[in-house]
Structures are given as C-alpha cells and as structure tokens.
Amino acid sequence: MPKKKTKIAFITGITGQDGSYLAEFLLEKGYRVYGLQRRISTFNTERIDHLYDKPPYLGKFDTFYGDLSDGSNLNRILEKIKPDEIYNLAAQSHVGVSFQMPEYTADVTGLGALRLLDAIRETDLKTKFYQASTSEMFGNVDKLPIIENTPFRPCSPYGCAKVFAYNITVNYRQAYGLFVCNGLMFNHESPRRGGTFATKKITQGLAKIKLGLQDKLLLGNIDSKRDWGYSPDFVRAMWLMLQQSKPDDYVIATGQTHSVREFIEEVCKCLDIDLVWRGKVLKEKGIDRKKNKVIIEISPRYFRPAELNVLVGDAGKARRVLGWKPKVKFKQLAKIMAEYDFEQEKLKNNL
C-alpha cells in the first residue's frame, strides 16, 4: 500500500493562545505544521517553544517570520510549503487597543485576510482556508442567541475589521470557488490567554492578591456578559470545519452567558477569597471580608467608547453538521485558569 501523505498546515498567529493549541492539536494528528510569527525585539514564543526540535514533534514543526501586512512574503511562503490547510488566526485582537489603533487594526485584522486569500488565488493552491471570525462582529443585537445569519452591528474598530475579513472570505468562496470557512467564535479563554485580556487580568490579579503580591485590581465594566468557552475546545471546531466536503460558516459558542462579575466571583471561590460587593456603578468595590480590604475597584479608564453589553451564541449548526460541542463549561474554565495562575505566581516568586 502507498504511504499516506502527511498533511501540511499553515497557521498565522502561531504564537497566540489559539495558534499554540491548534499547533499541538494538528501535530498530534500527524500533520506537518508551519507557523507565521512576527519579528519583534523581545521573545514571544513561550507558548510554542516546546514544539521546536523535541520529541514527539521533532522535525514536524517550524515557523517563518512574516506579517499579514506583507502580501509578497505570504505568497512566497505559500508557494514554498504548499499547505493543505491554512488557519488565519493572526490579528490585532484587543478590542480596547483597536480604538487607539484603528488604522493598524483594519490593515492587519481586515486586509490581512484579503492578502492571504489573494495569495491562495494567485498561487492556485488547492488548499482549505479557515478565517477566525468573532462574536464582536455582531455588537448589541436585537435578538439572542446569535446565529449564523444574525446581522452584524460591530461596536469597535476590531469588530468592523473582522466584518470585512468575514465578508471578503465569503466573497472569495463565491467568486473563485475556494474552500474557505468562517468560524464565528465567541469568547474562549485558557491559561495561555494574554495578560491584557479581562479573564487573564482577573485570574493573575486575584492570584497575586491571594499571595500578598498585589493590593487591588482595577477593572472596567464588570456587568458586561459574554459566552465563555475553552480554547482547546474551539480549535477542535476550527479543524472540523476544514474536514467537511463543503465549505461553510459556523457559530462556535457554549450557549451560556455569564457576566465579568460572575467570573470574578467564581475565581474568588477557587482561590478561597470571601468577596462582597459594596457601592454602585463606578464607585463599586469588591471587598475581601476576611481581611476587610478593598481588592477590586471599578475605573472609568477601562471602559470602552462603545460598550458591548451581552453576547451569547447558538452553536446548533456546528452540533448538527460538525458533531461539535464544548467539553469545558464556565465554572471549570474559571477553575483551570485560577489554579494555573496561582501556581505560576508561586513559582515566579519562590513561594
């Protein structure tokens, strides 16, 4: 029997939360995995360092330097490696930062997808393409839960850029017959979440407070509600989309909504912090009853110019077509992140 061909995958955003989990997932399935990483002055490869030149991934993983703003380099990489699957996870993905850097966000997050799609078209690659779309594209909708045909009403430059990327992906599917899919991903977290995102800021901050390394945590709108899932569950959905016979777009969500306040309270339970809330709106404070100390304060600095109040999705189509459903629920997610960051802070501080 002829030897089965090893599939080749190319992941942009390889150094991020989803990129690192997806790389592991594909390597475990026997893929040869290449990633795209930006050249910056400090090392940012801690999420993927264990994949380089080490068993069981020896010789199966490598990265290229590049950026979604450089279309000619993307063309050269695709021509060289000829991937069977491309996962576009790279973006300027911080909603708050997108208000400060709207042009850069539009260029990388929006036009970056177009550059990749055009590279596929120009090189005539027979590849399958996944575009990381986001629940931030929907904004404050009139009807919940959100499904695939819910109208887009983005509340941030990041959301607007992602709407363009979504639409150009659909356009290239229709115009050129490319196998391209959008994953309409709702919030998904993990211990590998970046430190500037709310969930990670909460778990790291409360771990430091518990260990006496920090006095208080400043946060923004703690009453905003999100549909929170677990990153390894979500990367499995990305892969399943590209294993289908026909390309399509899917909402990936848990179907449950929880506020930032609830996430804080759940993390406090995991860390044995007895939290009580006092005050209202911007003056609201979270107080550790055991120590009678304010550990959480609400700051106007962390409110967005346009707030997105509630997001919750219906992944019914993904369940029916892909056979996908989340394995990790909200409380377990909070526990995983809280316990990880507590142990990491102990290690870093020799406690």
Side-chain angles (χ1 to χ4, degrees), residues 85-132:
E85 297 171 8
I86 299 171
Y87 297 85
N88 183 31
L89 311 185
Q92 190 306 98
S93 59
H94 195 283
V95 175
V97 171
S98 77
F99 284 100
Q100 300 174 45
M101 303 176 68
E103 184 178 339
Y104 175 77
T105 301
D107 184 29
V108 174
T109 306
L111 291 176
L114 172 58
R115 294 186 185 103
L116 265 175
L117 289 163
D118 222 40
I120 294 170
R121 184 182 65 84
E122 288 187 356
T123 55
D124 197 29
L125 275 177
K126 304 306 177 189
T127 188
K128 295 181 176 182
F129 176 84
Y130 169 84
Q131 169 60 27

mmCIF file of all heavy atoms in Angstrom, residues 85-132:
data_model
loop_
_atom_site.group_PDB
_atom_site.id
_atom_site.type_symbol
_atom_site.label_atom_id
_atom_site.label_comp_id
_atom_site.label_asym_id
_atom_site.label_seq_id
_atom_site.Cartn_x
_atom_site.Cartn_y
_atom_site.Cartn_z
ATOM 1 N N GLU A 85 -3.974 22.932 4.483
ATOM 2 C CA GLU A 85 -4.917 23.708 5.288
ATOM 3 C C GLU A 85 -4.229 24.969 5.791
ATOM 4 O O GLU A 85 -3.065 24.934 6.194
ATOM 5 C CB GLU A 85 -5.425 22.886 6.477
ATOM 6 C CG GLU A 85 -6.209 21.655 6.068
ATOM 7 C CD GLU A 85 -6.537 20.716 7.224
ATOM 8 O OE1 GLU A 85 -6.281 21.084 8.390
ATOM 9 O OE2 GLU A 85 -7.044 19.615 6.969
ATOM 10 N N ILE A 86 -4.960 26.087 5.758
ATOM 11 C CA ILE A 86 -4.456 27.367 6.261
ATOM 12 C C ILE A 86 -5.435 27.868 7.318
ATOM 13 O O ILE A 86 -6.642 27.922 7.080
ATOM 14 C CB ILE A 86 -4.327 28.412 5.131
ATOM 15 C CG1 ILE A 86 -3.332 27.928 4.072
ATOM 16 C CG2 ILE A 86 -3.905 29.773 5.693
ATOM 17 C CD1 ILE A 86 -3.310 28.795 2.822
ATOM 18 N N TYR A 87 -4.889 28.239 8.467
ATOM 19 C CA TYR A 87 -5.709 28.764 9.567
ATOM 20 C C TYR A 87 -5.254 30.196 9.844
ATOM 21 O O TYR A 87 -4.133 30.409 10.326
ATOM 22 C CB TYR A 87 -5.546 27.912 10.814
ATOM 23 C CG TYR A 87 -6.024 26.486 10.657
ATOM 24 C CD1 TYR A 87 -5.191 25.504 10.117
ATOM 25 C CD2 TYR A 87 -7.306 26.114 11.047
ATOM 26 C CE1 TYR A 87 -5.624 24.193 9.972
ATOM 27 C CE2 TYR A 87 -7.752 24.792 10.909
ATOM 28 C CZ TYR A 87 -6.905 23.850 10.365
ATOM 29 O OH TYR A 87 -7.343 22.550 10.225
ATOM 30 N N ASN A 88 -6.108 31.164 9.525
ATOM 31 C CA ASN A 88 -5.746 32.569 9.730
ATOM 32 C C ASN A 88 -6.238 33.041 11.105
ATOM 33 O O ASN A 88 -7.375 33.473 11.262
ATOM 34 C CB ASN A 88 -6.324 33.461 8.633
ATOM 35 C CG ASN A 88 -5.881 34.908 8.810
ATOM 36 O OD1 ASN A 88 -4.786 35.170 9.314
ATOM 37 N ND2 ASN A 88 -6.720 35.838 8.422
ATOM 38 N N LEU A 89 -5.343 32.960 12.095
ATOM 39 C CA LEU A 89 -5.676 33.354 13.461
ATOM 40 C C LEU A 89 -5.021 34.677 13.854
ATOM 41 O O LEU A 89 -5.307 35.213 14.923
ATOM 42 C CB LEU A 89 -5.233 32.264 14.450
ATOM 43 C CG LEU A 89 -5.632 30.817 14.125
ATOM 44 C CD1 LEU A 89 -5.212 29.894 15.269
ATOM 45 C CD2 LEU A 89 -7.120 30.697 13.862
ATOM 46 N N ALA A 90 -4.145 35.196 13.008
ATOM 47 C CA ALA A 90 -3.417 36.421 13.346
ATOM 48 C C ALA A 90 -4.330 37.644 13.266
ATOM 49 O O ALA A 90 -5.198 37.728 12.399
ATOM 50 C CB ALA A 90 -2.222 36.604 12.413
ATOM 51 N N ALA A 91 -4.123 38.566 14.181
ATOM 52 C CA ALA A 91 -4.916 39.800 14.191
ATOM 53 C C ALA A 91 -4.381 40.736 15.270
ATOM 54 O O ALA A 91 -3.663 40.304 16.175
ATOM 55 C CB ALA A 91 -6.390 39.503 14.474
ATOM 56 N N GLN A 92 -4.716 42.012 15.151
ATOM 57 C CA GLN A 92 -4.662 42.888 16.320
ATOM 58 C C GLN A 92 -6.011 42.649 16.977
ATOM 59 O O GLN A 92 -7.023 43.184 16.553
ATOM 60 C CB GLN A 92 -4.472 44.355 15.907
ATOM 61 C CG GLN A 92 -4.170 45.318 17.055
ATOM 62 C CD GLN A 92 -5.173 45.298 18.206
ATOM 63 O OE1 GLN A 92 -4.952 44.637 19.243
ATOM 64 N NE2 GLN A 92 -6.301 45.973 18.048
ATOM 65 N N SER A 93 -6.021 41.844 18.034
ATOM 66 C CA SER A 93 -7.279 41.281 18.517
ATOM 67 C C SER A 93 -7.797 41.901 19.802
ATOM 68 O O SER A 93 -8.798 41.433 20.341
ATOM 69 C CB SER A 93 -7.118 39.773 18.717
ATOM 70 O OG SER A 93 -6.081 39.509 19.652
ATOM 71 N N HIS A 94 -7.135 42.914 20.313
ATOM 72 C CA HIS A 94 -7.594 43.532 21.550
ATOM 73 C C HIS A 94 -8.587 44.647 21.226
ATOM 74 O O HIS A 94 -8.246 45.611 20.535
ATOM 75 C CB HIS A 94 -6.415 44.089 22.340
ATOM 76 C CG HIS A 94 -6.743 44.420 23.762
ATOM 77 N ND1 HIS A 94 -7.442 45.555 24.103
ATOM 78 C CD2 HIS A 94 -6.494 43.762 24.926
ATOM 79 C CE1 HIS A 94 -7.596 45.593 25.422
ATOM 80 N NE2 HIS A 94 -7.035 44.509 25.939
ATOM 81 N N VAL A 95 -9.817 44.486 21.699
ATOM 82 C CA VAL A 95 -10.889 45.429 21.365
ATOM 83 C C VAL A 95 -10.549 46.838 21.836
ATOM 84 O O VAL A 95 -10.680 47.818 21.088
ATOM 85 C CB VAL A 95 -12.230 44.971 21.968
ATOM 86 C CG1 VAL A 95 -13.316 46.021 21.726
ATOM 87 C CG2 VAL A 95 -12.649 43.632 21.372
ATOM 88 N N GLY A 96 -10.080 46.980 23.077
ATOM 89 C CA GLY A 96 -9.754 48.294 23.609
ATOM 90 C C GLY A 96 -8.653 48.973 22.819
ATOM 91 O O GLY A 96 -8.732 50.174 22.508
ATOM 92 N N VAL A 97 -7.612 48.217 22.460
ATOM 93 C CA VAL A 97 -6.496 48.765 21.690
ATOM 94 C C VAL A 97 -6.960 49.201 20.304
ATOM 95 O O VAL A 97 -6.433 50.161 19.728
ATOM 96 C CB VAL A 97 -5.353 47.729 21.600
ATOM 97 C CG1 VAL A 97 -4.279 48.179 20.613
ATOM 98 C CG2 VAL A 97 -4.740 47.502 22.973
ATOM 99 N N SER A 98 -7.970 48.529 19.750
ATOM 100 C CA SER A 98 -8.432 48.885 18.399
ATOM 101 C C SER A 98 -8.995 50.298 18.329
ATOM 102 O O SER A 98 -8.970 50.924 17.262
ATOM 103 C CB SER A 98 -9.466 47.864 17.900
ATOM 104 O OG SER A 98 -10.743 48.051 18.492
ATOM 105 N N PHE A 99 -9.485 50.826 19.436
ATOM 106 C CA PHE A 99 -9.941 52.216 19.455
ATOM 107 C C PHE A 99 -8.757 53.177 19.399
ATOM 108 O O PHE A 99 -8.876 54.285 18.889
ATOM 109 C CB PHE A 99 -10.772 52.495 20.711
ATOM 110 C CG PHE A 99 -12.160 51.935 20.659
ATOM 111 C CD1 PHE A 99 -12.466 50.740 21.295
ATOM 112 C CD2 PHE A 99 -13.164 52.597 19.978
ATOM 113 C CE1 PHE A 99 -13.754 50.213 21.244
ATOM 114 C CE2 PHE A 99 -14.456 52.088 19.923
ATOM 115 C CZ PHE A 99 -14.752 50.889 20.558
ATOM 116 N N GLN A 100 -7.619 52.754 19.921
ATOM 117 C CA GLN A 100 -6.422 53.586 19.901
ATOM 118 C C GLN A 100 -5.635 53.426 18.602
ATOM 119 O O GLN A 100 -4.921 54.348 18.191
ATOM 120 C CB GLN A 100 -5.527 53.235 21.089
ATOM 121 C CG GLN A 100 -6.179 53.435 22.442
ATOM 122 C CD GLN A 100 -5.301 52.943 23.575
ATOM 123 O OE1 GLN A 100 -4.112 53.211 23.613
ATOM 124 N NE2 GLN A 100 -5.898 52.212 24.516
ATOM 125 N N MET A 101 -5.745 52.258 17.967
ATOM 126 C CA MET A 101 -5.006 51.970 16.736
ATOM 127 C C MET A 101 -5.957 51.444 15.661
ATOM 128 O O MET A 101 -5.820 50.314 15.177
ATOM 129 C CB MET A 101 -3.906 50.941 17.017
ATOM 130 C CG MET A 101 -2.936 51.345 18.098
ATOM 131 S SD MET A 101 -1.724 50.051 18.466
ATOM 132 C CE MET A 101 -0.757 50.023 16.951
ATOM 133 N N PRO A 102 -6.947 52.247 15.251
ATOM 134 C CA PRO A 102 -7.946 51.738 14.308
ATOM 135 C C PRO A 102 -7.383 51.436 12.918
ATOM 136 O O PRO A 102 -7.782 50.448 12.297
ATOM 137 C CB PRO A 102 -8.983 52.864 14.257
ATOM 138 C CG PRO A 102 -8.245 54.092 14.689
ATOM 139 C CD PRO A 102 -7.238 53.620 15.686
ATOM 140 N N GLU A 103 -6.467 52.262 12.437
ATOM 141 C CA GLU A 103 -5.932 52.040 11.085
ATOM 142 C C GLU A 103 -5.092 50.768 11.038
ATOM 143 O O GLU A 103 -5.208 49.956 10.111
ATOM 144 C CB GLU A 103 -5.095 53.238 10.654
ATOM 145 C CG GLU A 103 -4.590 53.120 9.221
ATOM 146 C CD GLU A 103 -3.800 54.344 8.776
ATOM 147 O OE1 GLU A 103 -3.969 55.422 9.392
ATOM 148 O OE2 GLU A 103 -3.016 54.211 7.824
ATOM 149 N N TYR A 104 -4.229 50.585 12.038
ATOM 150 C CA TYR A 104 -3.407 49.375 12.105
ATOM 151 C C TYR A 104 -4.292 48.139 12.245
ATOM 152 O O TYR A 104 -4.065 47.112 11.595
ATOM 153 C CB TYR A 104 -2.445 49.467 13.286
ATOM 154 C CG TYR A 104 -1.642 48.206 13.518
ATOM 155 C CD1 TYR A 104 -0.558 47.897 12.706
ATOM 156 C CD2 TYR A 104 -1.985 47.314 14.540
ATOM 157 C CE1 TYR A 104 0.173 46.737 12.905
ATOM 158 C CE2 TYR A 104 -1.263 46.157 14.743
ATOM 159 C CZ TYR A 104 -0.181 45.865 13.927
ATOM 160 O OH TYR A 104 0.529 44.718 14.122
ATOM 161 N N THR A 105 -5.322 48.225 13.080
ATOM 162 C CA THR A 105 -6.249 47.107 13.271
ATOM 163 C C THR A 105 -6.936 46.740 11.960
ATOM 164 O O THR A 105 -7.050 45.553 11.618
ATOM 165 C CB THR A 105 -7.300 47.453 14.342
ATOM 166 O OG1 THR A 105 -6.637 47.749 15.582
ATOM 167 C CG2 THR A 105 -8.268 46.301 14.561
ATOM 168 N N ALA A 106 -7.371 47.757 11.216
ATOM 169 C CA ALA A 106 -8.033 47.499 9.929
ATOM 170 C C ALA A 106 -7.075 46.855 8.936
ATOM 171 O O ALA A 106 -7.444 45.938 8.185
ATOM 172 C CB ALA A 106 -8.587 48.803 9.356
ATOM 173 N N ASP A 107 -5.814 47.301 8.937
ATOM 174 C CA ASP A 107 -4.832 46.791 7.988
ATOM 175 C C ASP A 107 -4.508 45.326 8.260
ATOM 176 O O ASP A 107 -4.544 44.489 7.346
ATOM 177 C CB ASP A 107 -3.556 47.638 8.073
ATOM 178 C CG ASP A 107 -2.511 47.224 7.045
ATOM 179 O OD1 ASP A 107 -2.897 46.724 5.970
ATOM 180 O OD2 ASP A 107 -1.309 47.397 7.313
ATOM 181 N N VAL A 108 -4.207 44.999 9.508
ATOM 182 C CA VAL A 108 -3.785 43.635 9.835
ATOM 183 C C VAL A 108 -4.977 42.691 9.965
ATOM 184 O O VAL A 108 -5.003 41.611 9.377
ATOM 185 C CB VAL A 108 -2.948 43.629 11.135
ATOM 186 C CG1 VAL A 108 -2.629 42.206 11.561
ATOM 187 C CG2 VAL A 108 -1.663 44.418 10.932
ATOM 188 N N THR A 109 -5.976 43.106 10.722
ATOM 189 C CA THR A 109 -7.111 42.232 11.011
ATOM 190 C C THR A 109 -8.037 42.085 9.812
ATOM 191 O O THR A 109 -8.563 40.995 9.558
ATOM 192 C CB THR A 109 -7.889 42.779 12.224
ATOM 193 O OG1 THR A 109 -6.981 42.945 13.322
ATOM 194 C CG2 THR A 109 -9.008 41.853 12.636
ATOM 195 N N GLY A 110 -8.244 43.182 9.081
ATOM 196 C CA GLY A 110 -9.142 43.150 7.926
ATOM 197 C C GLY A 110 -8.436 42.802 6.629
ATOM 198 O O GLY A 110 -8.668 41.748 6.026
ATOM 199 N N LEU A 111 -7.527 43.671 6.192
ATOM 200 C CA LEU A 111 -6.838 43.466 4.922
ATOM 201 C C LEU A 111 -5.894 42.269 4.951
ATOM 202 O O LEU A 111 -5.591 41.690 3.907
ATOM 203 C CB LEU A 111 -6.067 44.726 4.527
ATOM 204 C CG LEU A 111 -6.922 45.927 4.128
ATOM 205 C CD1 LEU A 111 -6.039 47.138 3.861
ATOM 206 C CD2 LEU A 111 -7.777 45.609 2.900
ATOM 207 N N GLY A 112 -5.425 41.888 6.154
ATOM 208 C CA GLY A 112 -4.570 40.711 6.258
ATOM 209 C C GLY A 112 -5.237 39.461 5.711
ATOM 210 O O GLY A 112 -4.601 38.650 5.025
ATOM 211 N N ALA A 113 -6.515 39.299 5.998
ATOM 212 C CA ALA A 113 -7.259 38.146 5.474
ATOM 213 C C ALA A 113 -7.329 38.200 3.954
ATOM 214 O O ALA A 113 -7.181 37.178 3.274
ATOM 215 C CB ALA A 113 -8.667 38.119 6.075
ATOM 216 N N LEU A 114 -7.548 39.396 3.415
ATOM 217 C CA LEU A 114 -7.594 39.552 1.954
ATOM 218 C C LEU A 114 -6.262 39.174 1.315
ATOM 219 O O LEU A 114 -6.228 38.501 0.272
ATOM 220 C CB LEU A 114 -7.948 41.001 1.603
ATOM 221 C CG LEU A 114 -7.859 41.391 0.121
ATOM 222 C CD1 LEU A 114 -8.751 40.518 -0.735
ATOM 223 C CD2 LEU A 114 -8.206 42.865 -0.048
ATOM 224 N N ARG A 115 -5.164 39.587 1.928
ATOM 225 C CA ARG A 115 -3.841 39.259 1.372
ATOM 226 C C ARG A 115 -3.624 37.751 1.325
ATOM 227 O O ARG A 115 -3.068 37.223 0.352
ATOM 228 C CB ARG A 115 -2.752 39.943 2.201
ATOM 229 C CG ARG A 115 -2.782 41.466 2.096
ATOM 230 C CD ARG A 115 -1.603 42.108 2.821
ATOM 231 N NE ARG A 115 -1.742 43.559 2.797
ATOM 232 C CZ ARG A 115 -2.140 44.303 3.829
ATOM 233 N NH1 ARG A 115 -2.409 43.725 4.991
ATOM 234 N NH2 ARG A 115 -2.249 45.610 3.715
ATOM 235 N N LEU A 116 -4.053 37.058 2.362
ATOM 236 C CA LEU A 116 -3.924 35.603 2.364
ATOM 237 C C LEU A 116 -4.802 34.954 1.303
ATOM 238 O O LEU A 116 -4.367 34.054 0.577
ATOM 239 C CB LEU A 116 -4.299 35.054 3.741
ATOM 240 C CG LEU A 116 -3.171 34.797 4.737
ATOM 241 C CD1 LEU A 116 -3.748 34.369 6.076
ATOM 242 C CD2 LEU A 116 -2.198 33.731 4.222
ATOM 243 N N LEU A 117 -6.036 35.401 1.223
ATOM 244 C CA LEU A 117 -6.956 34.855 0.222
ATOM 245 C C LEU A 117 -6.445 35.094 -1.195
ATOM 246 O O LEU A 117 -6.531 34.213 -2.055
ATOM 247 C CB LEU A 117 -8.347 35.481 0.404
ATOM 248 C CG LEU A 117 -9.123 35.033 1.636
ATOM 249 C CD1 LEU A 117 -10.271 35.998 1.934
ATOM 250 C CD2 LEU A 117 -9.655 33.614 1.453
ATOM 251 N N ASP A 118 -5.904 36.278 -1.432
ATOM 252 C CA ASP A 118 -5.382 36.579 -2.764
ATOM 253 C C ASP A 118 -4.119 35.779 -3.057
ATOM 254 O O ASP A 118 -3.870 35.399 -4.206
ATOM 255 C CB ASP A 118 -5.114 38.077 -2.912
ATOM 256 C CG ASP A 118 -5.576 38.602 -4.263
ATOM 257 O OD1 ASP A 118 -6.657 38.172 -4.722
ATOM 258 O OD2 ASP A 118 -4.847 39.405 -4.873
ATOM 259 N N ALA A 119 -3.332 35.493 -2.022
ATOM 260 C CA ALA A 119 -2.157 34.645 -2.212
ATOM 261 C C ALA A 119 -2.581 33.237 -2.621
ATOM 262 O O ALA A 119 -1.954 32.614 -3.481
ATOM 263 C CB ALA A 119 -1.335 34.600 -0.926
ATOM 264 N N ILE A 120 -3.663 32.727 -2.015
ATOM 265 C CA ILE A 120 -4.196 31.414 -2.399
ATOM 266 C C ILE A 120 -4.642 31.438 -3.858
ATOM 267 O O ILE A 120 -4.345 30.527 -4.640
ATOM 268 C CB ILE A 120 -5.368 31.015 -1.485
ATOM 269 C CG1 ILE A 120 -4.890 30.801 -0.048
ATOM 270 C CG2 ILE A 120 -6.064 29.749 -2.012
ATOM 271 C CD1 ILE A 120 -6.023 30.651 0.958
ATOM 272 N N ARG A 121 -5.364 32.498 -4.227
ATOM 273 C CA ARG A 121 -5.866 32.606 -5.606
ATOM 274 C C ARG A 121 -4.719 32.715 -6.610
ATOM 275 O O ARG A 121 -4.713 32.031 -7.643
ATOM 276 C CB ARG A 121 -6.773 33.828 -5.713
ATOM 277 C CG ARG A 121 -7.444 33.992 -7.074
ATOM 278 C CD ARG A 121 -8.289 35.241 -7.119
ATOM 279 N NE ARG A 121 -7.485 36.444 -6.993
ATOM 280 C CZ ARG A 121 -6.860 37.032 -8.017
ATOM 281 N NH1 ARG A 121 -6.938 36.507 -9.229
ATOM 282 N NH2 ARG A 121 -6.153 38.130 -7.827
ATOM 283 N N GLU A 122 -3.722 33.535 -6.312
ATOM 284 C CA GLU A 122 -2.626 33.771 -7.251
ATOM 285 C C GLU A 122 -1.727 32.549 -7.405
ATOM 286 O O GLU A 122 -1.194 32.288 -8.481
ATOM 287 C CB GLU A 122 -1.796 34.973 -6.801
ATOM 288 C CG GLU A 122 -2.509 36.307 -7.005
ATOM 289 C CD GLU A 122 -1.615 37.497 -6.706
ATOM 290 O OE1 GLU A 122 -0.467 37.281 -6.267
ATOM 291 O OE2 GLU A 122 -2.062 38.633 -6.916
ATOM 292 N N THR A 123 -1.524 31.813 -6.324
ATOM 293 C CA THR A 123 -0.667 30.619 -6.398
ATOM 294 C C THR A 123 -1.436 29.390 -6.873
ATOM 295 O O THR A 123 -0.838 28.336 -7.096
ATOM 296 C CB THR A 123 -0.041 30.316 -5.014
ATOM 297 O OG1 THR A 123 -1.089 30.208 -4.034
ATOM 298 C CG2 THR A 123 0.922 31.419 -4.595
ATOM 299 N N ASP A 124 -2.761 29.530 -6.990
ATOM 300 C CA ASP A 124 -3.626 28.438 -7.446
ATOM 301 C C ASP A 124 -3.473 27.201 -6.559
ATOM 302 O O ASP A 124 -3.477 26.063 -7.035
ATOM 303 C CB ASP A 124 -3.328 28.084 -8.911
ATOM 304 C CG ASP A 124 -4.460 27.269 -9.547
ATOM 305 O OD1 ASP A 124 -5.626 27.442 -9.113
ATOM 306 O OD2 ASP A 124 -4.175 26.455 -10.448
ATOM 307 N N LEU A 125 -3.349 27.439 -5.265
ATOM 308 C CA LEU A 125 -3.220 26.335 -4.304
ATOM 309 C C LEU A 125 -4.550 25.614 -4.115
ATOM 310 O O LEU A 125 -5.586 26.252 -3.976
ATOM 311 C CB LEU A 125 -2.764 26.860 -2.952
ATOM 312 C CG LEU A 125 -1.280 27.060 -2.691
ATOM 313 C CD1 LEU A 125 -1.098 27.650 -1.303
ATOM 314 C CD2 LEU A 125 -0.513 25.754 -2.809
ATOM 315 N N LYS A 126 -4.499 24.295 -4.072
ATOM 316 C CA LYS A 126 -5.677 23.505 -3.730
ATOM 317 C C LYS A 126 -5.662 23.294 -2.212
ATOM 318 O O LYS A 126 -5.283 22.244 -1.699
ATOM 319 C CB LYS A 126 -5.677 22.171 -4.479
ATOM 320 C CG LYS A 126 -5.575 22.311 -5.983
ATOM 321 C CD LYS A 126 -6.651 23.226 -6.539
ATOM 322 C CE LYS A 126 -6.488 23.410 -8.051
ATOM 323 N NZ LYS A 126 -7.396 24.460 -8.571
ATOM 324 N N THR A 127 -6.038 24.318 -1.494
ATOM 325 C CA THR A 127 -5.953 24.306 -0.049
ATOM 326 C C THR A 127 -7.299 24.664 0.562
ATOM 327 O O THR A 127 -8.193 25.172 -0.135
ATOM 328 C CB THR A 127 -4.873 25.307 0.429
ATOM 329 O OG1 THR A 127 -4.666 25.153 1.827
ATOM 330 C CG2 THR A 127 -5.286 26.743 0.151
ATOM 331 N N LYS A 128 -7.439 24.387 1.846
ATOM 332 C CA LYS A 128 -8.632 24.776 2.591
ATOM 333 C C LYS A 128 -8.244 25.878 3.581
ATOM 334 O O LYS A 128 -7.192 25.796 4.220
ATOM 335 C CB LYS A 128 -9.231 23.573 3.316
ATOM 336 C CG LYS A 128 -9.750 22.496 2.365
ATOM 337 C CD LYS A 128 -10.363 21.327 3.130
ATOM 338 C CE LYS A 128 -10.965 20.301 2.177
ATOM 339 N NZ LYS A 128 -11.621 19.179 2.898
ATOM 340 N N PHE A 129 -9.111 26.883 3.692
ATOM 341 C CA PHE A 129 -8.772 28.095 4.449
ATOM 342 C C PHE A 129 -9.791 28.337 5.554
ATOM 343 O O PHE A 129 -11.003 28.294 5.325
ATOM 344 C CB PHE A 129 -8.756 29.291 3.492
ATOM 345 C CG PHE A 129 -8.520 30.630 4.143
ATOM 346 C CD1 PHE A 129 -7.240 31.075 4.418
ATOM 347 C CD2 PHE A 129 -9.587 31.468 4.447
ATOM 348 C CE1 PHE A 129 -7.028 32.329 5.003
ATOM 349 C CE2 PHE A 129 -9.391 32.712 5.024
ATOM 350 C CZ PHE A 129 -8.100 33.143 5.308
ATOM 351 N N TYR A 130 -9.280 28.598 6.758
ATOM 352 C CA TYR A 130 -10.122 28.951 7.896
ATOM 353 C C TYR A 130 -9.856 30.390 8.298
ATOM 354 O O TYR A 130 -8.707 30.777 8.546
ATOM 355 C CB TYR A 130 -9.847 28.024 9.087
ATOM 356 C CG TYR A 130 -10.504 28.515 10.359
ATOM 357 C CD1 TYR A 130 -11.836 28.219 10.619
ATOM 358 C CD2 TYR A 130 -9.814 29.317 11.268
ATOM 359 C CE1 TYR A 130 -12.462 28.707 11.767
ATOM 360 C CE2 TYR A 130 -10.429 29.796 12.408
ATOM 361 C CZ TYR A 130 -11.748 29.492 12.653
ATOM 362 O OH TYR A 130 -12.364 29.989 13.771
ATOM 363 N N GLN A 131 -10.923 31.191 8.396
ATOM 364 C CA GLN A 131 -10.829 32.564 8.860
ATOM 365 C C GLN A 131 -11.424 32.676 10.256
ATOM 366 O O GLN A 131 -12.576 32.307 10.488
ATOM 367 C CB GLN A 131 -11.564 33.518 7.902
ATOM 368 C CG GLN A 131 -11.762 34.929 8.413
ATOM 369 C CD GLN A 131 -10.456 35.649 8.724
ATOM 370 O OE1 GLN A 131 -9.416 35.346 8.132
ATOM 371 N NE2 GLN A 131 -10.497 36.587 9.643
ATOM 372 N N ALA A 132 -10.608 33.187 11.186
ATOM 373 C CA ALA A 132 -11.070 33.372 12.566
ATOM 374 C C ALA A 132 -11.954 34.605 12.659
ATOM 375 O O ALA A 132 -11.468 35.726 12.757
ATOM 376 C CB ALA A 132 -9.873 33.497 13.502
#
